[in-house]
Amino acid sequence: MTTSGPVTDGDDGSDSGTEGGDGTTSSTRRSHRVTISDLARRLHISKASVSYALNGRAGVSDETRQRVLDLAEELGFHANSAAVALSASRTRTIGIVIARDPALISTEAFYMRTLVGIEQYLNEVDSSLLLRLTGEHGEDLDVLRRWSRQGRVDGFILFDELENDQRIPLLKELGVPCVVVSSNEPDDTVGRLISSPDETVSLLLGHLAELGHTDIAHISGPFTFIHERLRVQTLQQHAARHGITVRHIEGSYRYDDGAELTRQLLTGPHPPTAIVLGNDLMAVAALRVAMDLGTAVPGDVSIVAWDDSPLCELARPGITAVDQKTMERGRAAADLLLRIVTGNHPLHEEAPAGELRHRESSGPAPS
C-alpha cells in the first residue's frame, strides 16, 4: 500500500522575535518548531498551497505566494535541509518491504510503532511511504528489484537482517540507497541505524541480578535473524559476569509459541526463576500460562520482555520490559535514509537509547 503524509516539512526552529498574527512573539515560541502546518493554519489555506508557494511551484496565486513568504520570514521558518535537497529527487518516496506473516505484523507492536514513527517523519518532510508485506520465501527480493527498476522509490529501510542477506548486495548492484535497522556495524558501505543488544541486555540482566536471579530462561525470536543471534551471544557474555546461568530457547515471536515454550519450562524438572521473552506478545503469553498453571508471578517466576508496548503496561500484573523507543527509531531510520539519498553522510548512526520499565512481573528470586 502507499501512504503519504501532508505536504509539510520541518525547520531548524529559529525565529526572529517578531510578533505573529495571534499577538504572540516568536520568542515565546522558541520551543516550538515552526512547520508548514503552522503557516497553513495561520493563513487559513491548505498545506499543499504553502508547499507550492515555498517551493516556487505553480498552483497558487501571486498574492497567496507572497503572503506565505512574508509569514515564513516573520516566523523564522527554514525548511528541513533533507526535504529541500530531496525535492530534486525522483519520487520523494521511500520503500519498506517486510517478509513476515501479515498476521504477526498486525499483532506485534514493534512494527506498528516503528511505522508510525516513520510516517510522522515523512509527514514533516513532504514525503511518502510505499509499504509491501510479502511471503517469507524470497518474494521480497522480487519487489525490491521491481520497485528499484521502475524508479518508484528513492531508497529502502530494511528490517530483520539475515546472515548473507541477499537484499543488501541486490540494492548495491541496483544502485539504490538503503538503511538497515541493525544490531551490528559491518563495513559494507550501506546505511545502518545501529541498535546494539548490549544496552538492553545490561538493563534486563542487571535488573534480574539485583533481584537475586541466577537461573534464567530466554525465549528468543528466530535464530535466522542476526539480531537474535547477537542477543544470545551478548546475554551469555553478561550472564558470565553476573554468575548467572541462561538457557536459550528459539521461538517465533508468536503468542502460541511463547505460551507452549513457557509451559514446557514451568512444568519441567528445573523451572527457571525468571524468563526473558523476545517480544511483548510472547511475554503476555508467558504470563497467561503461568497464571493458568498456578505459578505465582513474580513470587515463583519473574517475567520480563525485550520490547515494551501497551500490552505489557495493561497486563495484570504489568510486565517489566525495555522501552526500545521504537517510534523514535523509526523517525531516525527515515531521517538517516533521506540524508543518505541527498548525499549527506555518515552512513551509520546510533539508535536512541532504551529505558527499563520496571513493573509488577519481576521481583526477588524465590528461595
Side-chain angles (χ1 to χ4, degrees), residues 138-163:
E139 297 93 337
D140 56 330
L141 296 175
D142 295 332
V143 177
L144 293 174
R145 187 179 293 108
R146 184 167 64 253
W147 287 0
S148 298
R149 289 176 173 170
Q150 292 173 347
R152 300 182 66 182
V153 299
D154 295 313
F156 291 93
I157 297 177
L158 306 180
F159 297 96
D160 297 330
E161 184 180 8
L162 306 170
E163 190 71 37

PDB file of all heavy atoms in Angstrom, residues 138-163:
ATOM      1  N   GLY A 138      11.433 -15.323  -0.350  1.00  0.00           N
ATOM      2  CA  GLY A 138      12.168 -14.595  -1.362  1.00  0.00           C
ATOM      3  C   GLY A 138      11.343 -13.654  -2.201  1.00  0.00           C
ATOM      4  O   GLY A 138      11.881 -12.980  -3.082  1.00  0.00           O
ATOM      5  N   GLU A 139      10.033 -13.581  -1.924  1.00  0.00           N
ATOM      6  CA  GLU A 139       9.198 -12.661  -2.704  1.00  0.00           C
ATOM      7  C   GLU A 139       9.618 -11.208  -2.507  1.00  0.00           C
ATOM      8  O   GLU A 139       9.412 -10.370  -3.389  1.00  0.00           O
ATOM      9  CB  GLU A 139       7.722 -12.814  -2.305  1.00  0.00           C
ATOM     10  CG  GLU A 139       7.126 -14.182  -2.590  1.00  0.00           C
ATOM     11  CD  GLU A 139       7.219 -15.120  -1.396  1.00  0.00           C
ATOM     12  OE1 GLU A 139       8.095 -14.893  -0.532  1.00  0.00           O
ATOM     13  OE2 GLU A 139       6.405 -16.058  -1.339  1.00  0.00           O
ATOM     14  N   ASP A 140      10.206 -10.911  -1.331  1.00  0.00           N
ATOM     15  CA  ASP A 140      10.622  -9.531  -1.073  1.00  0.00           C
ATOM     16  C   ASP A 140      11.701  -9.079  -2.049  1.00  0.00           C
ATOM     17  O   ASP A 140      11.744  -7.902  -2.448  1.00  0.00           O
ATOM     18  CB  ASP A 140      11.106  -9.386   0.366  1.00  0.00           C
ATOM     19  CG  ASP A 140      12.230 -10.350   0.717  1.00  0.00           C
ATOM     20  OD1 ASP A 140      12.276 -11.449   0.148  1.00  0.00           O
ATOM     21  OD2 ASP A 140      13.065  -9.992   1.573  1.00  0.00           O
ATOM     22  N   LEU A 141      12.568  -9.995  -2.488  1.00  0.00           N
ATOM     23  CA  LEU A 141      13.617  -9.640  -3.446  1.00  0.00           C
ATOM     24  C   LEU A 141      13.009  -9.199  -4.775  1.00  0.00           C
ATOM     25  O   LEU A 141      13.496  -8.254  -5.405  1.00  0.00           O
ATOM     26  CB  LEU A 141      14.561 -10.811  -3.666  1.00  0.00           C
ATOM     27  CG  LEU A 141      15.381 -11.257  -2.441  1.00  0.00           C
ATOM     28  CD1 LEU A 141      16.186 -12.510  -2.786  1.00  0.00           C
ATOM     29  CD2 LEU A 141      16.294 -10.142  -1.968  1.00  0.00           C
ATOM     30  N   ASP A 142      11.951  -9.876  -5.194  1.00  0.00           N
ATOM     31  CA  ASP A 142      11.287  -9.500  -6.443  1.00  0.00           C
ATOM     32  C   ASP A 142      10.704  -8.087  -6.354  1.00  0.00           C
ATOM     33  O   ASP A 142      10.795  -7.310  -7.312  1.00  0.00           O
ATOM     34  CB  ASP A 142      10.168 -10.502  -6.775  1.00  0.00           C
ATOM     35  CG  ASP A 142      10.703 -11.889  -7.071  1.00  0.00           C
ATOM     36  OD1 ASP A 142      11.860 -11.989  -7.529  1.00  0.00           O
ATOM     37  OD2 ASP A 142       9.974 -12.870  -6.845  1.00  0.00           O
ATOM     38  N   VAL A 143      10.113  -7.771  -5.192  1.00  0.00           N
ATOM     39  CA  VAL A 143       9.520  -6.441  -5.025  1.00  0.00           C
ATOM     40  C   VAL A 143      10.612  -5.374  -5.000  1.00  0.00           C
ATOM     41  O   VAL A 143      10.495  -4.323  -5.640  1.00  0.00           O
ATOM     42  CB  VAL A 143       8.671  -6.381  -3.746  1.00  0.00           C
ATOM     43  CG1 VAL A 143       8.117  -4.973  -3.541  1.00  0.00           C
ATOM     44  CG2 VAL A 143       7.529  -7.385  -3.817  1.00  0.00           C
ATOM     45  N   LEU A 144      11.700  -5.624  -4.267  1.00  0.00           N
ATOM     46  CA  LEU A 144      12.804  -4.670  -4.222  1.00  0.00           C
ATOM     47  C   LEU A 144      13.356  -4.405  -5.622  1.00  0.00           C
ATOM     48  O   LEU A 144      13.609  -3.260  -6.005  1.00  0.00           O
ATOM     49  CB  LEU A 144      13.926  -5.196  -3.317  1.00  0.00           C
ATOM     50  CG  LEU A 144      13.636  -5.317  -1.819  1.00  0.00           C
ATOM     51  CD1 LEU A 144      14.793  -5.997  -1.112  1.00  0.00           C
ATOM     52  CD2 LEU A 144      13.368  -3.959  -1.206  1.00  0.00           C
ATOM     53  N   ARG A 145      13.533  -5.469  -6.377  1.00  0.00           N
ATOM     54  CA  ARG A 145      14.084  -5.343  -7.735  1.00  0.00           C
ATOM     55  C   ARG A 145      13.117  -4.562  -8.639  1.00  0.00           C
ATOM     56  O   ARG A 145      13.525  -3.663  -9.380  1.00  0.00           O
ATOM     57  CB  ARG A 145      14.347  -6.739  -8.306  1.00  0.00           C
ATOM     58  CG  ARG A 145      15.069  -6.746  -9.648  1.00  0.00           C
ATOM     59  CD  ARG A 145      15.312  -8.167 -10.121  1.00  0.00           C
ATOM     60  NE  ARG A 145      16.254  -8.885  -9.262  1.00  0.00           N
ATOM     61  CZ  ARG A 145      15.914  -9.855  -8.426  1.00  0.00           C
ATOM     62  NH1 ARG A 145      14.634 -10.221  -8.305  1.00  0.00           N
ATOM     63  NH2 ARG A 145      16.818 -10.463  -7.686  1.00  0.00           N
ATOM     64  N   ARG A 146      11.829  -4.901  -8.552  1.00  0.00           N
ATOM     65  CA  ARG A 146      10.848  -4.260  -9.432  1.00  0.00           C
ATOM     66  C   ARG A 146      10.686  -2.780  -9.103  1.00  0.00           C
ATOM     67  O   ARG A 146      10.703  -1.926 -10.003  1.00  0.00           O
ATOM     68  CB  ARG A 146       9.502  -4.976  -9.314  1.00  0.00           C
ATOM     69  CG  ARG A 146       8.437  -4.450 -10.257  1.00  0.00           C
ATOM     70  CD  ARG A 146       7.235  -5.363 -10.330  1.00  0.00           C
ATOM     71  NE  ARG A 146       6.540  -5.471  -9.054  1.00  0.00           N
ATOM     72  CZ  ARG A 146       6.578  -6.542  -8.261  1.00  0.00           C
ATOM     73  NH1 ARG A 146       7.308  -7.592  -8.601  1.00  0.00           N
ATOM     74  NH2 ARG A 146       5.909  -6.564  -7.125  1.00  0.00           N
ATOM     75  N   TRP A 147      10.548  -2.431  -7.831  1.00  0.00           N
ATOM     76  CA  TRP A 147      10.384  -1.027  -7.460  1.00  0.00           C
ATOM     77  C   TRP A 147      11.623  -0.209  -7.811  1.00  0.00           C
ATOM     78  O   TRP A 147      11.516   0.942  -8.229  1.00  0.00           O
ATOM     79  CB  TRP A 147      10.101  -0.912  -5.970  1.00  0.00           C
ATOM     80  CG  TRP A 147       8.724  -1.341  -5.568  1.00  0.00           C
ATOM     81  CD1 TRP A 147       7.742  -1.814  -6.391  1.00  0.00           C
ATOM     82  CD2 TRP A 147       8.185  -1.343  -4.247  1.00  0.00           C
ATOM     83  NE1 TRP A 147       6.613  -2.113  -5.664  1.00  0.00           N
ATOM     84  CE2 TRP A 147       6.857  -1.829  -4.345  1.00  0.00           C
ATOM     85  CE3 TRP A 147       8.678  -0.989  -3.012  1.00  0.00           C
ATOM     86  CZ2 TRP A 147       6.034  -1.964  -3.226  1.00  0.00           C
ATOM     87  CZ3 TRP A 147       7.868  -1.122  -1.887  1.00  0.00           C
ATOM     88  CH2 TRP A 147       6.558  -1.602  -1.995  1.00  0.00           C
ATOM     89  N   SER A 148      12.799  -0.825  -7.649  1.00  0.00           N
ATOM     90  CA  SER A 148      14.040  -0.110  -7.974  1.00  0.00           C
ATOM     91  C   SER A 148      14.125   0.181  -9.458  1.00  0.00           C
ATOM     92  O   SER A 148      14.433   1.305  -9.880  1.00  0.00           O
ATOM     93  CB  SER A 148      15.245  -0.927  -7.524  1.00  0.00           C
ATOM     94  OG  SER A 148      15.252  -1.114  -6.121  1.00  0.00           O
ATOM     95  N   ARG A 149      13.858  -0.812 -10.271  1.00  0.00           N
ATOM     96  CA  ARG A 149      13.972  -0.643 -11.722  1.00  0.00           C
ATOM     97  C   ARG A 149      12.896   0.276 -12.277  1.00  0.00           C
ATOM     98  O   ARG A 149      13.113   0.945 -13.293  1.00  0.00           O
ATOM     99  CB  ARG A 149      13.925  -2.015 -12.399  1.00  0.00           C
ATOM    100  CG  ARG A 149      15.194  -2.830 -12.150  1.00  0.00           C
ATOM    101  CD  ARG A 149      15.109  -4.222 -12.724  1.00  0.00           C
ATOM    102  NE  ARG A 149      16.396  -4.909 -12.602  1.00  0.00           N
ATOM    103  CZ  ARG A 149      16.571  -6.204 -12.839  1.00  0.00           C
ATOM    104  NH1 ARG A 149      15.538  -6.961 -13.210  1.00  0.00           N
ATOM    105  NH2 ARG A 149      17.764  -6.752 -12.704  1.00  0.00           N
ATOM    106  N   GLN A 150      11.743   0.305 -11.596  1.00  0.00           N
ATOM    107  CA  GLN A 150      10.672   1.197 -12.037  1.00  0.00           C
ATOM    108  C   GLN A 150      10.866   2.624 -11.518  1.00  0.00           C
ATOM    109  O   GLN A 150      10.097   3.521 -11.883  1.00  0.00           O
ATOM    110  CB  GLN A 150       9.318   0.654 -11.553  1.00  0.00           C
ATOM    111  CG  GLN A 150       8.904  -0.659 -12.222  1.00  0.00           C
ATOM    112  CD  GLN A 150       7.645  -1.250 -11.595  1.00  0.00           C
ATOM    113  OE1 GLN A 150       7.198  -0.839 -10.515  1.00  0.00           O
ATOM    114  NE2 GLN A 150       7.060  -2.228 -12.268  1.00  0.00           N
ATOM    115  N   GLY A 151      11.878   2.833 -10.669  1.00  0.00           N
ATOM    116  CA  GLY A 151      12.121   4.155 -10.116  1.00  0.00           C
ATOM    117  C   GLY A 151      11.011   4.641  -9.209  1.00  0.00           C
ATOM    118  O   GLY A 151      10.755   5.840  -9.118  1.00  0.00           O
ATOM    119  N   ARG A 152      10.374   3.717  -8.490  1.00  0.00           N
ATOM    120  CA  ARG A 152       9.225   4.095  -7.660  1.00  0.00           C
ATOM    121  C   ARG A 152       9.632   4.660  -6.297  1.00  0.00           C
ATOM    122  O   ARG A 152       8.809   5.293  -5.628  1.00  0.00           O
ATOM    123  CB  ARG A 152       8.296   2.895  -7.472  1.00  0.00           C
ATOM    124  CG  ARG A 152       7.733   2.348  -8.787  1.00  0.00           C
ATOM    125  CD  ARG A 152       6.777   1.206  -8.561  1.00  0.00           C
ATOM    126  NE  ARG A 152       5.570   1.632  -7.862  1.00  0.00           N
ATOM    127  CZ  ARG A 152       4.587   0.797  -7.504  1.00  0.00           C
ATOM    128  NH1 ARG A 152       4.685  -0.489  -7.799  1.00  0.00           N
ATOM    129  NH2 ARG A 152       3.531   1.250  -6.877  1.00  0.00           N
ATOM    130  N   VAL A 153      10.859   4.370  -5.869  1.00  0.00           N
ATOM    131  CA  VAL A 153      11.312   4.848  -4.560  1.00  0.00           C
ATOM    132  C   VAL A 153      12.718   5.414  -4.674  1.00  0.00           C
ATOM    133  O   VAL A 153      13.465   5.089  -5.600  1.00  0.00           O
ATOM    134  CB  VAL A 153      11.282   3.724  -3.508  1.00  0.00           C
ATOM    135  CG1 VAL A 153       9.874   3.190  -3.300  1.00  0.00           C
ATOM    136  CG2 VAL A 153      12.225   2.593  -3.887  1.00  0.00           C
ATOM    137  N   ASP A 154      13.086   6.244  -3.705  1.00  0.00           N
ATOM    138  CA  ASP A 154      14.443   6.794  -3.639  1.00  0.00           C
ATOM    139  C   ASP A 154      15.365   5.946  -2.776  1.00  0.00           C
ATOM    140  O   ASP A 154      16.588   6.131  -2.816  1.00  0.00           O
ATOM    141  CB  ASP A 154      14.403   8.220  -3.087  1.00  0.00           C
ATOM    142  CG  ASP A 154      13.677   9.164  -4.019  1.00  0.00           C
ATOM    143  OD1 ASP A 154      13.957   9.128  -5.232  1.00  0.00           O
ATOM    144  OD2 ASP A 154      12.814   9.927  -3.549  1.00  0.00           O
ATOM    145  N   GLY A 155      14.810   5.062  -1.981  1.00  0.00           N
ATOM    146  CA  GLY A 155      15.619   4.207  -1.126  1.00  0.00           C
ATOM    147  C   GLY A 155      14.722   3.321  -0.279  1.00  0.00           C
ATOM    148  O   GLY A 155      13.493   3.469  -0.286  1.00  0.00           O
ATOM    149  N   PHE A 156      15.348   2.400   0.467  1.00  0.00           N
ATOM    150  CA  PHE A 156      14.599   1.427   1.263  1.00  0.00           C
ATOM    151  C   PHE A 156      15.090   1.421   2.709  1.00  0.00           C
ATOM    152  O   PHE A 156      16.277   1.643   2.979  1.00  0.00           O
ATOM    153  CB  PHE A 156      14.771   0.011   0.706  1.00  0.00           C
ATOM    154  CG  PHE A 156      14.115  -0.235  -0.621  1.00  0.00           C
ATOM    155  CD1 PHE A 156      14.831  -0.071  -1.796  1.00  0.00           C
ATOM    156  CD2 PHE A 156      12.792  -0.626  -0.696  1.00  0.00           C
ATOM    157  CE1 PHE A 156      14.233  -0.306  -3.033  1.00  0.00           C
ATOM    158  CE2 PHE A 156      12.185  -0.864  -1.919  1.00  0.00           C
ATOM    159  CZ  PHE A 156      12.902  -0.699  -3.092  1.00  0.00           C
ATOM    160  N   ILE A 157      14.170   1.118   3.631  1.00  0.00           N
ATOM    161  CA  ILE A 157      14.531   0.759   5.003  1.00  0.00           C
ATOM    162  C   ILE A 157      14.338  -0.744   5.133  1.00  0.00           C
ATOM    163  O   ILE A 157      13.272  -1.272   4.777  1.00  0.00           O
ATOM    164  CB  ILE A 157      13.665   1.507   6.032  1.00  0.00           C
ATOM    165  CG1 ILE A 157      13.905   3.017   5.938  1.00  0.00           C
ATOM    166  CG2 ILE A 157      13.972   1.022   7.448  1.00  0.00           C
ATOM    167  CD1 ILE A 157      13.031   3.837   6.877  1.00  0.00           C
ATOM    168  N   LEU A 158      15.355  -1.437   5.632  1.00  0.00           N
ATOM    169  CA  LEU A 158      15.335  -2.893   5.741  1.00  0.00           C
ATOM    170  C   LEU A 158      15.310  -3.316   7.206  1.00  0.00           C
ATOM    171  O   LEU A 158      16.060  -2.780   8.026  1.00  0.00           O
ATOM    172  CB  LEU A 158      16.561  -3.509   5.064  1.00  0.00           C
ATOM    173  CG  LEU A 158      16.836  -3.125   3.608  1.00  0.00           C
ATOM    174  CD1 LEU A 158      18.088  -3.843   3.110  1.00  0.00           C
ATOM    175  CD2 LEU A 158      15.644  -3.450   2.715  1.00  0.00           C
ATOM    176  N   PHE A 159      14.477  -4.305   7.511  1.00  0.00           N
ATOM    177  CA  PHE A 159      14.401  -4.869   8.861  1.00  0.00           C
ATOM    178  C   PHE A 159      14.795  -6.350   8.820  1.00  0.00           C
ATOM    179  O   PHE A 159      14.832  -6.981   7.767  1.00  0.00           O
ATOM    180  CB  PHE A 159      12.980  -4.748   9.421  1.00  0.00           C
ATOM    181  CG  PHE A 159      12.506  -3.332   9.584  1.00  0.00           C
ATOM    182  CD1 PHE A 159      11.737  -2.723   8.603  1.00  0.00           C
ATOM    183  CD2 PHE A 159      12.826  -2.602  10.714  1.00  0.00           C
ATOM    184  CE1 PHE A 159      11.295  -1.417   8.747  1.00  0.00           C
ATOM    185  CE2 PHE A 159      12.395  -1.296  10.872  1.00  0.00           C
ATOM    186  CZ  PHE A 159      11.623  -0.701   9.888  1.00  0.00           C
ATOM    187  N   ASP A 160      15.072  -6.910  10.000  1.00  0.00           N
ATOM    188  CA  ASP A 160      15.296  -8.350  10.159  1.00  0.00           C
ATOM    189  C   ASP A 160      16.418  -8.857   9.256  1.00  0.00           C
ATOM    190  O   ASP A 160      16.218  -9.715   8.389  1.00  0.00           O
ATOM    191  CB  ASP A 160      14.005  -9.138   9.887  1.00  0.00           C
ATOM    192  CG  ASP A 160      12.908  -8.789  10.874  1.00  0.00           C
ATOM    193  OD1 ASP A 160      13.237  -8.443  12.017  1.00  0.00           O
ATOM    194  OD2 ASP A 160      11.721  -8.854  10.502  1.00  0.00           O
ATOM    195  N   GLU A 161      17.625  -8.344   9.491  1.00  0.00           N
ATOM    196  CA  GLU A 161      18.765  -8.746   8.663  1.00  0.00           C
ATOM    197  C   GLU A 161      19.110 -10.214   8.882  1.00  0.00           C
ATOM    198  O   GLU A 161      19.137 -10.704  10.017  1.00  0.00           O
ATOM    199  CB  GLU A 161      19.971  -7.874   8.997  1.00  0.00           C
ATOM    200  CG  GLU A 161      21.178  -8.150   8.104  1.00  0.00           C
ATOM    201  CD  GLU A 161      22.362  -7.278   8.458  1.00  0.00           C
ATOM    202  OE1 GLU A 161      22.294  -6.571   9.488  1.00  0.00           O
ATOM    203  OE2 GLU A 161      23.359  -7.309   7.711  1.00  0.00           O
ATOM    204  N   LEU A 162      19.393 -10.914   7.795  1.00  0.00           N
ATOM    205  CA  LEU A 162      19.762 -12.324   7.818  1.00  0.00           C
ATOM    206  C   LEU A 162      21.253 -12.478   7.561  1.00  0.00           C
ATOM    207  O   LEU A 162      21.909 -11.572   7.040  1.00  0.00           O
ATOM    208  CB  LEU A 162      18.984 -13.089   6.741  1.00  0.00           C
ATOM    209  CG  LEU A 162      17.459 -12.950   6.752  1.00  0.00           C
ATOM    210  CD1 LEU A 162      16.882 -13.570   5.491  1.00  0.00           C
ATOM    211  CD2 LEU A 162      16.867 -13.585   7.997  1.00  0.00           C
ATOM    212  N   GLU A 163      21.793 -13.638   7.928  1.00  0.00           N
ATOM    213  CA  GLU A 163      23.162 -13.956   7.536  1.00  0.00           C
ATOM    214  C   GLU A 163      23.217 -14.036   6.012  1.00  0.00           C
ATOM    215  O   GLU A 163      22.362 -14.644   5.382  1.00  0.00           O
ATOM    216  CB  GLU A 163      23.586 -15.292   8.147  1.00  0.00           C
ATOM    217  CG  GLU A 163      25.055 -15.606   8.005  1.00  0.00           C
ATOM    218  CD  GLU A 163      25.927 -14.720   8.893  1.00  0.00           C
ATOM    219  OE1 GLU A 163      25.518 -14.415  10.024  1.00  0.00           O
ATOM    220  OE2 GLU A 163      27.016 -14.349   8.427  1.00  0.00           O
TER     221      GLU A 163
END
